[in-house]
């Protein structure tokens, strides 16, 4: 198969940042996807409906000329105002809530410290039909960094599913066979997004010939057995698994540093990266389910009506994306040739 026509895909997990970085990176997502769930871990984080509406307006300005809809999320804290949250959801400002365990990742210091404290918010969300996106790691120093997703499943996710029986949860950027198994065991309640980097690489990629800061993201890349389980899940067509790039841009000098930032900037080559996986797994016929159908169905939203054609045509991924005077960002596959491209609109 060298051409594939499908409903236009959505990206169910992206970081756009703000200011000059937003202006430089958001058009890559808007060029390939109809909608995206936008992460709220700005500085300061997006914690109110007003902040989300203002941020959405800045995103719309950055993607002018593209038919693109940003779907906003609220950064959950121990002090989230549930009335503002539910009103923001009813008004169409918020689509979902993001739970970062405090200190789990980039700009998560204001994240959730006590699940007990946020329980009334989670119950209100369940009642309103609002989805919860989780960064599924327990960031305690005594837990090995490669075991933090499994610890989250056992200590946080399973108890949460029992405590709020009607809340629908998305395990963002699932990275382990344990994550795949728990999603399968809780059909309808749990969904999961999968990133291109976790489908393409195992943890060896972090150390290939030397330390590779551009391969570093959180949750960190895992062992090969996990990568294989993720590939099988993504290409299975099962409704619980869908596309979410976790495209997370950081300036080059902040990644190639003594204490480098976590995040892979996947947006420019995201579709090509996923299609490489689906082609290798002989599952191109299931790409539309993963990229365009399962995500909206889990969120209770209609799939996109517009169709796009993806074609096997080599193209070069830009080596860097310039961000004004701030520096540049190195994308996934930057400087490399990829096999799949979006066909020009006819
Ligand atoms: O690698 C990551 N980068 N993982 C996250 O959870 C956050 C993200 C970011 O914001 O840079
Ligand atoms: Zn993320």
């Amino acid at each position: 198969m060298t051409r594939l026509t499908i409903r236009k895909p959505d990206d169910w997990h992206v970081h756009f940042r703000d200011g000059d970085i937003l202006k430089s990176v958001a058009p890559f997502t808007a060029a390939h996807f109809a909608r995206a769930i936008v992460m709220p871990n700005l500085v300061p984080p997006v914690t109110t409906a007003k902040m989300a509406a203002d941020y959405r307006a800045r995103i719309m300005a950055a993607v002018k000329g593209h038919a693109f809809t940003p779907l906003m999320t609220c950064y959950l804290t121990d002090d989230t105002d549930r009335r503002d949250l539910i009103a923001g959801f009813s008004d169409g400002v918020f689509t979902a809530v993001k739970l970062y365990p405090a200190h789990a990742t980039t700009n998560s210091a204001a994240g959730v410290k006590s699940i007990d404290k946020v329980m009334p918010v989670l119950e209100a969300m369940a009642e309103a039909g609002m989805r919860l996106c989780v960064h599924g790691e327990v960031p305690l120093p005594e837990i090995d960094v490669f075991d933090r997703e499994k610890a989250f499943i056992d200590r946080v996710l399973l108890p949460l599913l029992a405590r709020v029986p009607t809340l629908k949860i998305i395990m963002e950027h699932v990275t382990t066979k344990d994550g795949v198994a728990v999603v399968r065991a809780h059909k309808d309640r749990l969904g999961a997004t999968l990133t291109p980097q976790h489908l393409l690489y195992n943890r060896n990629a972090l150390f290939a010939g030397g330390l590779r800061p551009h391969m570093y993201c959180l949750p960190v890349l895992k062992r090969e057995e996990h990568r294989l389980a993720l590939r099988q899940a993504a290409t299975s067509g099962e409704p619980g698994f869908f596309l979410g790039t976790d495209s997370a841009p950081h300036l080059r000098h902040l990644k190639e540093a003594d204490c480098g930032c976590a995040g892979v900037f996947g947006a420019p080559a995201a579709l090509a990266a996923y299609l490489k996986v689906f082609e290798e797994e002989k599952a191109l016929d299931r790409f539309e389910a993963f990229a365009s159908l399962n995500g909206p169905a889990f969120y209770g939203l209609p799939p996109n009506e517009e169709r796009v054609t993806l074609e096997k045509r080599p193209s070069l991924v830009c080596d860097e994306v310039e961000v004004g005077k701030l520096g540049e960002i190195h994308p996934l596959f930057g400087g490399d040739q990829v096999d799949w491209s979006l066909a020009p609109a006819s």
Side-chain angles (χ1 to χ4, degrees):
M1 198 189 298
T2 55
R3 276 170 81 82
L4 189 62
T5 297
I6 60 169
R7 286 179 190 258
K8 195 166 182 184
D10 303 302
D11 183 350
W12 297 96
H13 184 131
V14 73
H15 298 264
F16 280 153
R17 316 301 187 201
D18 213 339
D20 288 342
I21 298 188
L22 165 65
K23 289 179 197 143
S24 296
V25 304
F28 288 100
T29 297
H32 297 103
F33 299 99
R35 297 172 288 194
I37 284 273
V38 180
M39 289 297 127
N41 60 335
L42 304 182
V43 188
V46 179
T47 50
T48 66
K50 164 89 174 81
M51 291 172 91
D54 291 350
Y55 184 32
R56 182 169 65 180
R58 298 196 294 281
I59 295 169
M60 294 305 289
V63 300
K64 224 171 163 182
H66 294 281
F68 176 73
T69 305
L71 304 174
M72 309 309 290
T73 57
C74 180
Y75 185 116
L76 187 64
T77 74
D78 286 6
D79 305 311
T80 294
D81 176 348
R82 72 171 187 277
R83 265 175 286 272
D84 178 73
L85 179 74
I86 301 301
F89 179 60
S90 309
D91 293 346
V93 176
F94 285 132
T95 296
V97 168
K98 179 66 186 275
L99 185 161
Y100 289 104
H103 307 293
T105 185
T106 309
N107 301 333
S108 62
V112 172
K113 295 176 192 69
S114 157
I115 286 283
D116 286 342
K117 264 194 110 176
V118 298
M119 205 48 69
V121 176
L122 301 179
E123 281 160 359
M125 287 171 57
E127 202 183 312
M130 194 175 187
R131 309 294 185 258
L132 178 71
C133 305
V134 297
H135 181 108
E137 291 192 285
V138 176
L140 293 173
E142 62 268 28
I143 303 177
D144 190 283
V145 69
F146 294 100
D147 297 334
R148 288 180 181 179
E149 185 167 292
K150 173 85 168 76
F152 183 88
I153 293 166
D154 296 339
R155 297 184 191 190
V156 183
L157 186 62
L158 292 172
L160 188 57
L161 286 166
R163 281 179 85 173
V164 196
T166 52
L167 183 64
K168 289 197 175 200
I169 303 175
I170 299 109
M171 272 195 87
E172 299 294 343
H173 40 53
V174 71
T175 64
T176 59
K177 62 180 186 184
D178 312 281
V180 167
V182 78
V183 169
R184 286 192 170 133
H186 295 83
K187 290 197 180 66
D188 301 330
R189 295 284 315 277
L190 274 185
T193 54
L194 294 111
T195 79
Q197 63 268 23
H198 292 100
L199 295 171
L200 286 166
Y201 305 108
N202 65 32
R203 62 189 191 174
N204 286 352
L206 283 162
F207 310 109
L211 193 59
R212 299 290 183 170
H214 295 280
M215 285 287 114
Y216 174 55
C217 63
L218 286 171
V220 72
L221 297 172
K222 301 294 193 301
R223 282 179 179 277
E224 180 65 359
E225 63 179 308
H226 295 295
R227 187 184 75 100
L228 295 177
L230 301 177
R231 285 171 76 100
Q232 199 279 328
T235 58
S236 67
E238 290 167 50
F241 301 103
F242 40 93
L243 189 159
T245 60
D246 196 16
S247 179
H250 291 279
L251 294 166
R252 183 189 280 280
H253 72 273
L254 297 177
K255 283 195 70 71
E256 299 173 6
D258 186 36
C259 184
C261 297
V264 171
F265 177 41
L271 281 181
Y274 285 117
L275 283 161
K276 176 175 162 62
V277 172
F278 276 72
E279 186 175 32
E280 286 168 358
E281 297 293 329
K282 302 191 173 34
L284 285 170
D285 58 326
R286 293 195 279 274
F287 187 64
E288 186 176 36
F290 177 75
S292 316
L293 300 174
N294 296 348
F298 194 83
Y299 274 86
L301 296 170
N304 298 308
E305 283 305 325
E306 191 187 338
R307 265 64 174 179
V308 292
T309 297
L310 301 150
E311 57 188 10
K312 214 164 171 199
R313 169 172 54 83
S315 65
L316 202 61
V317 181
C318 56
D319 189 35
E320 3 223 39
V321 172
E322 303 292 333
V323 188
K325 290 196 216 44
L326 293 179
E328 73 280 337
I329 302 167
H330 178 65
L332 179 69
F333 287 142
D336 293 346
Q337 185 179 293
V338 290
D339 292 338
W340 286 86
S341 307
L342 202 55
S346 50

